[in-house]
Amino acid sequence: MNPEIEKIWNVLQEVPDPEIPVISVVELGVVRAIEKSGEKIIVSVTPTYTGCPAMKMMEDDIVSKLKEKGYTDIQLRTVLSPAWTTDWLSDATKEKLRRYGIAPPEKSTADKNALLGKPREVKCPRCGSAHTSMISQFGSTACKALWKCDDCQEPFDYFKCI
Amino acid sequence: MNKQEALIDYCLRLGDNSLVLGHRLSEWCGHGPILEEDLALANIALDLLGQTRNLFTYAAAVEGKGRTEDDLAYTRNNYEFRNALLTEQANGDFAVTIARQLFYTSYAWLLFTELQKSKDETIAGIAAKALKETSYHLRHCNEWTIRLGDGTEESHRRMQDAVDSLWMYTDDIFAQTEGDALLIKEGIAADAATLKPKWDAMIKETLTKATLKMPEGGFMMKGSREGKHTEHLTYILGELQFLQRTYPGMEW
């Protein structure tokens, strides 16, 4: 990779997700590509959910972080294909979510099974128990569902697989 | 109607569906029967608005006259809207909202499944994205239809009333224009006529599980593709467009 482009990837690692500040927009998989055209830096981003209100904030944060690092000519481009998937979250990123108290997503096939009515296993991020149940498919943000642990009784967020 | 006009009209049809239904669902915010449903309906509304933004942005780009997604949402008149009559119907009680969700979401799920294969790359991208969200919406309304239909005597009665009262708007969801025919031939649009039997089967399956009767026949209201709406749309637009109509170009 071009060292300057690599440097920009590293800079964007410092931009946190506004809702889940323990992971960056790069780890979330929202930044898809970084290119340079002349002096212009073109950052391609993809939304997690089409209506996610945090997207605008992430875009603003990306631009202001790059400006802070001295880049002036910045263009953001929204790409929709391929559609964002939680499969892009690395194991290390998932572990950060778990430690933050959010049950990380399984592979997307796990939720497809659930759509077909098959049981799915979501472990409590606090005590690790698999004895959990869903309260609501829709949680505090578009990307999360609301679950509770039937052992330690704590409610928790589950990062939905899509 | 040429191909460009047909494509704009098609995007507006899909975008208006999600805008108007999203607006309706957002009316539940703060009024949901339980907290989880308040969140669920607001979440679904948000996804629908996101889909609208993508479709309007594309319609505006195809049109190429400098209009934006906001212009399309806030400055078109009632008769320029192309949303299905079903989507503008009032929320009613929770059962009516769920029946409206069931009828629309089953259609949207079938539609986006087809449109993922569209020869128009932007449409295919928007559809692939929307399909993931719609799968969750579908599960939500299927579960509630079954829970209410196969619940108490009261919830069963209300759910059946809701299904019966909205049935007359279901044919209109599948209405097509000459422009659609042009796009279908080019592999851009999905043929709603082929979705209808699949939709019938999906609805029948859920209603049967919910111990509800599937309505048959009866008068069917139509006209949305020609911009003929029920009285409800005007009230929605009155609220939705108030600010931009009163203070054109206002930003904050």
Side-chain angles (χ1 to χ4, degrees), chain A residues 7-127:
Chain A
K7 199 174 130 200
I8 298 169
W9 276 104
N10 289 333
V11 166
L12 295 186
Q13 281 284 7
E14 296 170 27
V15 179
D17 176 318
E19 289 282 352
I20 313 163
V22 288
I23 63 172
S24 74
V25 292
V26 173
E27 289 170 312
L28 185 63
V30 158
V31 181
R32 300 314 302 154
I34 300 171
E35 296 151 78
K36 203 167 175 220
S37 165
E39 283 310 300
K40 191 196 287 284
I41 306 290
I42 304 164
V43 181
S44 299
V45 294
T46 196
T48 51
Y49 283 74
T50 45
C52 179
M55 274 314 294
K56 178 79 177 76
M57 192 160 175
M58 289 188 214
E59 291 173 8
D60 291 349
D61 289 350
I62 287 169
V63 172
S64 60
K65 176 60 79 178
L66 288 173
K67 285 196 169 150
E68 183 192 309
K69 299 284 177 179
Y71 298 96
T72 49
D73 198 357
I74 305 151
Q75 188 195 331
L76 282 180
R77 184 189 285 161
T78 302
V79 289
L80 292 177
S81 298
W84 181 81
T85 165
T86 42
D87 289 350
W88 292 342
L89 271 56
S90 71
D91 287 344
T93 303
K94 288 181 183 175
E95 179 56 21
K96 284 184 189 176
L97 287 176
R98 195 192 59 75
R99 269 185 281 144
Y100 189 61
I102 299 171
E106 306 295 324
K107 284 280 171 209
S108 57
T109 46
D111 267 26
K112 282 192 189 119
N113 285 341
L115 281 175
L116 299 169
K118 292 176 190 157
R120 122 185 85 172
E121 189 180 274
V122 173
K123 282 189 181 154
C124 171
R126 294 175 203 283
C127 72

Side-chain angles (χ1 to χ4, degrees), chain B residues 9-28:
Chain B
D9 184 70
Y10 193 67
C11 289
L12 289 178
R13 163 66 162 187
L14 306 188
D16 287 346
N17 274 345
S18 45
L19 174 66
V20 171
L21 185 60
H23 188 84
R24 275 294 187 221
L25 290 177
S26 70
E27 290 172 0
W28 274 107

Side-chain angles (χ1 to χ4, degrees), chain B residues 133-233:
Chain B
E133 297 157 358
T134 307
S135 298
Y136 271 92
H137 306 171
L138 184 60
R139 192 168 162 213
H140 172 259
C141 57
N142 271 331
E143 283 180 359
W144 271 110
T145 303
I146 294 165
R147 194 172 299 148
L148 294 175
D150 194 15
T152 65
E153 205 177 303
E154 174 74 358
S155 72
H156 177 89
R157 181 185 66 76
R158 285 188 184 229
M159 197 62 225
Q160 185 70 57
D161 282 354
V163 165
D164 293 345
S165 69
L166 291 176
W167 188 252
M168 67 190 281
Y169 302 107
T170 53
D171 264 11
D172 176 74
I173 307 171
F174 300 90
Q176 305 210 84
T177 64
E178 281 173 30
D180 289 1
L182 199 69
L183 298 177
I184 292 165
K185 222 162 86 187
E186 302 235 359
I188 293 171
D191 186 353
T194 66
L195 303 182
K196 182 69 165 65
K198 295 181 193 165
W199 182 89
D200 283 335
M202 280 172 84
I203 299 295
K204 179 139 203 169
E205 193 189 334
T206 301
L207 293 184
T208 305
K209 275 191 204 158
T211 72
L212 296 165
K213 280 197 204 78
M214 176 124 161
E216 274 171 41
F219 171 72
M220 284 288 171
M221 192 97 139
K222 285 183 184 168
S224 65
R225 293 306 293 269
E226 292 83 48
K228 292 178 195 151
H229 291 275
T230 60
E231 65 175 317
H232 301 289
L233 181 66

